[in-house]
Amino acid sequence: MTLDINVTSTCNLGCKYCSEGHNPDMPDLAKIENSKTDVKTQEIIDFIQRVQEKDPNEEIIIAFWGGEPMMNMPYCLDLMTYYAKNKKITFFFYTNGMYIEKYKESLKNINTLLTRDRFEIQISYDGKPVNDIERVTKNNKSSVDEVKKAFAILGEINVRRKIKSTITPRTFKYIYESFLDIISIPGCENYFPTPDSFNDYEKEKEEEYFNDLKIGLANIAKYIYQNKLNADVFGWFRNSRALCSAGINYYGINLDGKLSPCHSTMYEDYDDHEIGDIRDLDILEKLEQSNTKFKDLLNYMNDDCTNCTSLFCMKCPAGSYNLESTKNIVEYKLNDFVNNPNNLSEYDLKWSTKNINMCKVFKLNDIIYKSLLTATKQQPVLAKNKICDMKKG
């Protein structure tokens, strides 16, 4: 089981694509703002105890989410210290990296206490040209140098680490430069950007966006070919069409203790996604029902993809759920039995309908990826992890 615990809605950055209320130019989707969690660590402990009493073999990943979770570091340290001897519980941080230096000694100590295989930190970094546009401080200053320093510090103290990147249509033009920047960072194995799934693309600029992406992907492929690198040094050049496992032993715990399918469902239309409260006496039964529901929905996630031959794609139902493009497709399906033969509800259709924007991205990627495979005579690389198992955010 993975539990993404929202420990605070406060953040020190003002990322321009943030949908949680930290950038004044973006719609504010956070339901509870500028606040630390109302959920006591003991309530998390009580909930986990019930889970492990039901199944003593249940392994649990506790992932700290925000806001910026290190702005509530005492809370995180309390939980990690409490479970230091419980080998079935591991810990993960989603962080922008700006507090790594401040908490260097604490992180070093907790890494020793837990042992390295039970602790990992993911730093959000989009590559310098994108980062300088999208991931800035609230004073619109660059965060690049501090983030790179933070990644290096984690290497120094032997903490398992990874970089998580995001790319938006307006920054497709910088995908190649971001690729070069990130693969040059010592300790970073590849560049694996996640396309923004929470916004539809501007129709009048869509052609420009995809032309930018085409040029960037071609340059990445050319660099890989000329330097005789494995194709998967760029994360989209691999063979994986995994579905999303949100809601199937994967949950977000919001600031008020409410559970939803993943951390991305804590915001807009949150009530649609609510499973229950960790304090509910029947919460384990509700989680079983959630598992059944979202496993069933996996059966319909490829209904729109029957004739697709792309080797790689990513799906984010939470991101797609409230898009206007998704709503339009769902409205059409609801009014036509031929296109909704299983008589799915509006929620089920919104969850299982493909994101047409990401679909276009990965169909374009597929053309260039297959050309690279032909040129290098490489076989498609099977992903080590399912995309749904890789941390988001």
Side-chain angles (χ1 to χ4, degrees):
M1 178 182 291
T2 297
L3 299 174
D4 287 351
I5 304 176
N6 190 359
V7 299
T8 179
S9 62
T10 305
C11 187
N12 56 317
L13 293 187
C15 301
K16 294 181 180 178
Y17 51 59
C18 180
S19 60
E20 297 170 36
H22 301 300
N23 186 307
D25 297 326
M26 289 292 290
D28 182 359
L29 305 185
K31 297 300 183 185
I32 309 170
E33 292 189 61
N34 299 319
S35 172
K36 293 180 180 178
T37 178
D38 293 328
V39 182
K40 297 178 176 62
T41 53
Q42 186 60 51
E43 291 175 317
I44 297 291
I45 291 167
D46 291 344
F47 170 71
I48 289 175
Q49 181 178 341
R50 293 165 65 186
V51 170
Q52 293 194 318
E53 283 177 350
K54 183 177 180 181
D55 182 1
N57 294 316
E58 182 75 54
E59 296 182 354
I60 296 175
I61 300 171
I62 294 178
F64 298 115
W65 176 261
E68 169 48 50
M70 290 192 184
M71 294 185 77
N72 193 5
M73 194 62 159
Y75 187 98
C76 304
L77 290 173
D78 283 351
L79 275 176
M80 290 188 286
T81 302
Y82 181 86
Y83 285 115
K85 295 182 179 180
N86 189 328
K87 304 299 184 184
K88 293 190 179 299
I89 297 182
T90 60
F91 293 90
F92 186 94
F93 267 99
Y94 303 92
T95 178
N96 58 39
M98 303 293 278
Y99 285 88
I100 297 292
E101 185 172 18
K102 176 179 179 179
Y103 289 114
K104 177 179 177 179
E105 288 305 312
S106 296
L107 295 170
K108 180 179 179 180
N109 292 337
I110 205 71
N111 190 51
T112 301
L113 186 65
L114 292 172
T115 67
R116 188 173 186 269
D117 62 332
R118 293 177 54 213
F119 185 51
E120 185 174 15
I121 294 179
Q122 173 181 286
I123 296 180
S124 296
Y125 178 65
D126 298 340
K128 179 173 171 51
V130 177
N131 224 76
D132 280 343
I133 295 171
E134 305 284 18
R135 300 190 60 82
V136 293
T137 69
K138 293 187 186 294
N139 295 323
N140 209 36
K141 302 295 184 182
S142 174
S143 62
V144 169
D145 290 342
E146 287 187 68
V147 173
K148 286 188 173 182
K149 184 177 182 179
F151 192 74
I153 287 172
L154 293 180
E156 290 171 15
I157 61 177
N158 202 33
V159 173
R160 286 193 301 144
R161 56 188 176 154
K162 65 170 70 171
I163 285 176
K164 168 70 177 64
S165 304
T166 298
I167 194 159
T168 60
R170 61 177 171 264
T171 57
F172 281 166
K173 65 179 72 175
Y174 303 114
I175 193 170
Y176 175 57
E177 289 81 2
S178 292
F179 163 77
L180 293 179
D181 178 45
I182 288 180
I183 66 169
S184 72
I185 298 174
C188 188
E189 296 179 356
N190 67 3
Y191 172 53
F192 198 145
T194 299
D196 173 27
S197 63
F198 286 83
N199 296 284
D200 279 315
Y201 300 171
E202 298 175 60
K203 291 296 182 183
E204 61 273 16
K205 294 186 177 181
E206 190 170 303
E207 183 176 350
E208 175 188 342
Y209 290 152
F210 280 101
N211 187 57
D212 290 340
L213 181 61
K214 180 180 179 180
I215 293 171
L217 291 174
N219 284 333
I220 291 172
K222 181 178 179 181
Y223 183 91
I224 290 172
Y225 176 75
Q226 291 179 338
N227 290 276
K228 297 180 172 59
L229 302 176
N230 290 331
D232 67 338
V233 70
F234 178 59
W236 300 357
F237 290 170
R238 63 182 66 191
N239 189 359
S240 175
R241 295 178 60 179
L243 302 177
C244 179
S245 61
I248 308 169
N249 255 17
Y250 190 115
Y251 311 102
I253 301 177
N254 210 347
L255 301 172
D256 55 3
K258 299 294 178 59
L259 284 152
S260 59
C262 80
H263 58 243
S264 294
T265 56
M266 294 180 189
Y267 307 107
E268 192 169 15
D269 288 334
Y270 174 51
D271 292 343
D272 288 7
H273 303 291
E274 184 181 321
I275 297 169
D277 191 298
I278 63 167
R279 309 170 188 94
D280 291 342
L281 295 178
D282 61 345
I283 190 58
L284 298 187
E285 289 77 10
K286 290 177 179 177
L287 295 184
E288 284 187 5
Q289 293 169 7
S290 168
N291 280 340
T292 300
K293 172 183 178 177
F294 287 99
K295 281 180 181 177
D296 288 345
L297 288 178
L298 288 180
N299 296 321
Y300 307 112
M301 276 191 186
N302 278 331
D303 284 358
D304 297 324
C305 311
T306 305
N307 298 316
C308 181
T309 60
S310 294
L311 296 178
F312 177 85
C313 74
M314 300 166 68
K315 290 182 171 65
C316 181
S320 308
Y321 181 83
N322 210 43
L323 295 179
E324 282 302 315
S325 57
T326 298
K327 292 178 180 178
N328 292 336
I329 294 170
V330 168
E331 183 179 1
Y332 172 72
K333 289 181 176 180
L334 286 171
N335 293 322
D336 188 340
F337 178 78
V338 174
N339 290 290
N340 186 21
N342 299 297
N343 198 30
L344 298 181
S345 68
E346 180 178 358
Y347 180 95
D348 293 348
L349 286 171
K350 288 172 75 173
W351 189 263
S352 59
T353 292
K354 70 179 181 182
N355 184 315
I356 60 174
N357 308 301
M358 292 178 73
C359 181
K360 292 175 183 177
V361 166
F362 294 123
K363 284 186 175 180
L364 174 58
N365 175 73
D366 194 62
I367 296 170
I368 294 167
Y369 175 33
K370 287 175 178 174
S371 297
L372 176 64
L373 291 176
T374 300
T376 59
K377 298 180 181 179
Q378 293 184 38
Q379 294 297 313
V381 178
L382 294 175
K384 294 179 182 178
N385 298 314
K386 294 181 179 179
I387 295 305
C388 54
D389 292 335
M390 302 175 106
K391 297 299 177 184
K392 312 167 190 176

